[in-house]
Amino acid sequence: MEQMRAELGQDTEPRRERAGRMARREKRAHGPSGLHRPYIVRNIPTYDILSEENLVRIEATADRILEEIGIQFRGDPPVLDYWRRAGAKVEDELVKFPKGLLRQILKTAPAEFVQHARNPANSVVIGGKNVVFSPAYGSPFVMDLDRGRRYGTIDDFENFVKLAQSSPWMHHSGGTVCEPVDVPVNKRHLDMVYAHIRYSDRAFLGSVTAESRAEDSIDMTRIVFGEEFVDRNCVIMGNVNVNSPLVWDATMTTALRAYARANQAAVIVPFILGGAMGPVTNAGAIAQSLAETMAGCALTQLERPGAPVIFGNFLSSMSLRSGSPTFGTPEPAIGSMVVGQLARRLNLPLRCSGNFTTSKLPDAHAMNEGTVSMLAAVHCGANFVLHSAGFLDGLLSMSYEKFVLDDDFCGSLHTYLDGVKVDDNELALDAFQEVGPGGHFFGCQHTLKNYETAFWDSAVADNEPFEKWEAAGSVDAATRANKRWKKTLAEYEAPPIDPGIDEALRDFIARKKAAMDDAWY
Amino acid sequence: MEQMRAELGQDTEPRRERAGRMARREKRAHGPSGLHRPYIVRNIPTYDILSEENLVRIEATADRILEEIGIQFRGDPPVLDYWRRAGAKVEDELVKFPKGLLRQILKTAPAEFVQHARNPANSVVIGGKNVVFSPAYGSPFVMDLDRGRRYGTIDDFENFVKLAQSSPWMHHSGGTVCEPVDVPVNKRHLDMVYAHIRYSDRAFLGSVTAESRAEDSIDMTRIVFGEEFVDRNCVIMGNVNVNSPLVWDATMTTALRAYARANQAAVIVPFILGGAMGPVTNAGAIAQSLAETMAGCALTQLERPGAPVIFGNFLSSMSLRSGSPTFGTPEPAIGSMVVGQLARRLNLPLRCSGNFTTSKLPDAHAMNEGTVSMLAAVHCGANFVLHSAGFLDGLLSMSYEKFVLDDDFCGSLHTYLDGVKVDDNELALDAFQEVGPGGHFFGCQHTLKNYETAFWDSAVADNEPFEKWEAAGSVDAATRANKRWKKTLAEYEAPPIDPGIDEALRDFIARKKAAMDDAWY
C-alpha cells in the first residue's frame, strides 16, 4: 500500500501533518485543494465485535446455504458454463457450490487496488486501511428546502457532481448521484458518465442497467485514459446488486462480467431488507449476504482472474407495523461490523453502509440515523463508502441540504479516523510545566505551536453563544446548509480537460444517441 | 456481577429474550414497565483503539505530571494531612505523588457496585459490562419550541424528573437536571432531592455545591432507606468536578469526602476544555485527565477505604476562532475511547461523554454532534452515562424536545448494545430452506416466529412513505418530539411512596429551610 501511494505520488498524511490551519483556511477559500486528501488512511483499528467462534458459525451457515440451497443465475447461460467448469453443481439455472469452492476462486482477487482518476492526484487506493467517501447513489427524486421533492433531472445530476467535486471531503464522484429522469432511459448513462468526466476530475462509477450501457461507460473511459491503460488499470467501477434472496439476474451478471472482462471493478452488493429479502434475524441476514456476495465476487474472477472486485453489503431493517424499510437503525449498524470482519477474512476490499435515513427532511431524525449508519461504515472498516452524502426519504431522494450536512460530517470523520496520536508533542509535558496548577493554556508555547492544526472546525455547525446566534437570526442547520450549497454552486469552476478528449467524448455520445430511438423504460 | 443481579432479583436480559413485541407495545401504552430494563448489560466489546505501548506512554506522562508538577488542594487542610500520611510530598497546598502511590491507594475501590433505588427493581449495577443512562445535568436554562430559552425553575426540574421516570430507556433520575433558579441557592438542593425521591423511584444524584448540602442530600436518603442500610450501601451519588488544570478546591473535596465518608459514590470528573484548562493536543489532555481523576478517586479511598467511586471524564474541544467550547466533535469522541481503556486498566467504573452539542435547536446539527458523542460513550465502555438526554446550547440549556429525541436514541442503543446474537434460530437456515431462491420471507415460519421481537422501533422517527408523511402535514422530528413530551407529562403518574416517609422528608426540608435565610448566590 505504501508502494501504491508512492507510485501515485500522493499526500495522504493526516491534516495535522500538513500545512497549518490558517493556511488551510485560506486555501479553503480558494477551493478544495488545500484540505483535500485523495482518500483517508485510517489510524484507528476496525471495531471487531464478534468472536472467532461466532464468525465461523456464520461462515458455516453461508457455506450450507451455498451447498444445500444454492443460488439461481437467470438468463445468462455463459455464467452456468463458468460454474460447471469450476466444479459447481448446476441444475437448470440453480447453482450449488461445494464447500470451499468460492473461497478457492476468490484467491485471485486483489486485496487492494487503485482506481485511477483523470487527475492523478485524485486517484484512490481501495482496500486495506484506506477509506474512500462517495456521494449517495440511485435516488429518483431530489429535494431542497426551496422546492421540496421532485424528480431528478440532468441539471440536478450535474449539480451533485459539482458539489462533490467542490468538497474537500468527498474522494469520489459517485455514480447515479440522482436519476436524471428527463433523459431517455437508454441514453441516460451517456450523459451521466460525461458529467462525471467533464465536471469532476475524481474517480467515478459507470452504468450497470444493461450490458451495452456498461460497455459504453467503459468505452468512454478508454477515450480519456487510452485503451491500453484501461486494460491494465481500474478507471471505472460498476455497482451491481444481487436480486436477493439468492438470485442473480442477467442484467446484473452481464454488467458484472462487462466490468470484469475490461479489468474494471465490480462492487457486489446484496440489498437485504430483513423480513422481505432475507430473514428478520441479523445473523441469518449476514450469512445470506456472505453467500450472495461471495458468489458474485467469484464470478468476476471466473470472467477474468485478477480483476478488481469489492465485497459489498447492504443490510436493512423493516418497520413491522407498516412494512416500510427503516434505515440508520441499530441492527444494520451492528451487523455491518460483523460483515466487515467477514470481508477481511476473505481478504477483499469492503463496501458497507453509508449515510441512511427514512426522514423526509434534513432534521434531527435524519442526522441521528445518518450518523449511526455512517459511523458504522467507518467502524466496520469499509474501504469504499458509497452513499456517504445526500440521502433522505429512505434512499428515494437526494437532498441538497443533506448533502452539505453529510459532507461536513465526512470532514469530521477525517479527524476521527486519524485517531489519537501519541508522541512528545501531543503528550505536552512541557505545557504542564509551563502552565502549572490553576493556570491557563490559551497563551502557552505549546498552544501557540499547535493551535493552527488543533481541532476539527465544522463549516455548518454554529458554535457561537446563544445571544450571538439569536442576534444573527436563530438560523437552523438546514437553512445554513441551504445557503452553503447555493454558494458552492455559484463559485464552482470546472476542472480543465483536454479539448480533444472532450470533443471525442461528445462525438461518441452523439453517435450513440443517434443510433437509438428514445426509450423511457 | 451475575450474583449482584441475582441478589437484586432483576431482569436485565435483552428485550428479544422477553415478551413479544405486541405484548411490549401494549405495555408501553400502559407505562414504561413493559420495556424498561433497570440497566443494560452490554453484549458487544468496548472499542479499544490505542496500542498497549501508547497507553503506557500516556500513563507515564500522567505519572510525571503527578510527581513533577503536582496537584493543588486548596482550602481543605484535612486533605493535606491525608496525603502526607499516605506518603505524598506536600509543599504548602501543592501535593506531589511518588510514582505508583495513587494506583496503590486505588486498589481498595470496588470495580463494580450497586446503587440502590427506592424501588428495588430499578437499582443499577455500575461497573463491568453494565451501562446506565442518566439525564443531562447542570443547565441554568431550559428550552422548548413553544417558549424558547428561559431560566429553569423547580417546575421544569420536576418535569424532567417525570419525563425520565416515564421513559423506558433512562435508568437513572440524574441530579441537577436543570438549575431551579426560582429557589434560593442555599435551599435548592432540598427541593431537588425531594423531587427525585417523590416523582421518581429510580436512583439519583445529590448536591455537591457545599459540604452541608451534600450531607443534607445524604440525610434525606437515610429517611428513605434507613441509616444502617445507607451506611452499608450506595443509595446516592455526587458528581464532583476538578478545577482543571491540576486544582481541587475545598467545595469539591469537602463534598467528595462527605459522600465517601457516608459510603456513597463520588463521580470524579475533570472538565478539560482543550486549549484553556488543558493542552490543545488530545494525548496531553487525556494524560491530564488521568492524573486529576486518579487523585480525586484516591482521595475517596483515604476518606473511607472501599467507598464506591466512579472514574469520570469530560474532554472537550474549542473553536479556536471564537474561543467557544465545541461538543460532539471528533477529538473528544476518539479521546473517550482511550480514557475508557485507561479506566479499565485501573479496574474502576467509568463515566464518560454523553449527548453533547453546541446547537441551539433540536435540529440536524444537534443530533449529528449528539450521536457522535453518545456513541463514543457506549463504545468507550462508559458504565454511567451522565448527560444521556436533553442538552442543547453547549450544555447551557436543557431542551424538552431534545430530551425526547435523545431518549429515543437511548432506546435504540439498548438494541445496539445487545450486538449480533448467533444461534440456530438467529442463523435461520430453516428460513432459507423454506423460502428458497427468489422467494419472500414475509410470511415464512421463521419470520412469524421472530417478527414480534425483531427490529428496533423508534417512537419519534417517521418511517412512512413520503406521500403519507406529506398528507399528515410534513411534520419534522422536533415537532413530533414537542407533541410527545406534552403527552408524556399529561399521562404521568407519580410512583407510590410510603406516606410516613414522605411526611418525614417534608418535615426535614421544612426544618432545614426555616433554619436558613434565603441566599441567592
Side-chain angles (χ1 to χ4, degrees), chain A residues 45 47 57 149 245 276 281 284 321 331 358 360 363 368 371 424 426 438 441 455-457 462-464 467 477, chain B residues 45 47 57 149 245 276 281 284 321 331 358 360 363 368 371 426 438 441 455-457 462-464 467 477:
Chain A
Y47 190 11
R57 289 192 71 179
R149 186 168 94 153
T281 51
R321 281 180 291 182
E331 293 89 351
T358 56
K360 272 65 74 180
D363 65 354
N368 171 243
T371 303
D424 284 344
E426 296 279 327
F441 287 77
F455 301 137
W456 159 247
D457 187 19
D462 185 311
N463 303 317
E464 298 295 344
E467 295 74 13
Chain B
Y47 189 14
R57 289 193 71 179
R149 186 168 94 153
T281 49
R321 281 179 291 180
E331 293 89 351
T358 57
K360 271 66 72 181
D363 65 353
N368 172 242
T371 303
E426 296 279 327
F441 287 78
F455 302 138
W456 159 246
D457 185 19
D462 184 312
N463 302 316
E464 298 294 344
E467 294 74 11

Side-chain angles (χ1 to χ4, degrees), chain A residues 7 11 13 31 52 68 115 154 156 200 241 324 327 366 441:
Chain A
E7 278 169 18
D11 179 10
E13 288 303 301
E52 169 77 17
E68 298 171 19
Q115 184 186 1
I154 192 68
D156 291 307
S200 174
N241 282 111
S324 298
F327 299 100
F441 287 77

Side-chain angles (χ1 to χ4, degrees), chain A residues 58 61-62 65-66 71 242 244-246 248 268-272 277-279 282-297 311-316 335-336 338-340 342 346 350-352, chain B residues 432:
Chain A
I58 291 176
T61 303
I65 292 171
L66 288 164
I71 295 181
V242 188
S244 303
L246 305 174
W248 276 94
I268 309 293
V269 191
F271 174 15
I272 300 178
M277 297 90 118
N282 222 344
I286 293 166
Q288 175 187 347
S289 174
L290 177 60
E292 293 175 343
T293 310
M294 280 204 296
C297 290
F311 182 99
N313 167 257
F314 194 122
L315 297 171
S316 169
S336 295
V338 177
V339 172
L342 295 168
L346 287 167
L350 172 68
R351 178 207 142 179
C352 207
Chain B
F432 295 108

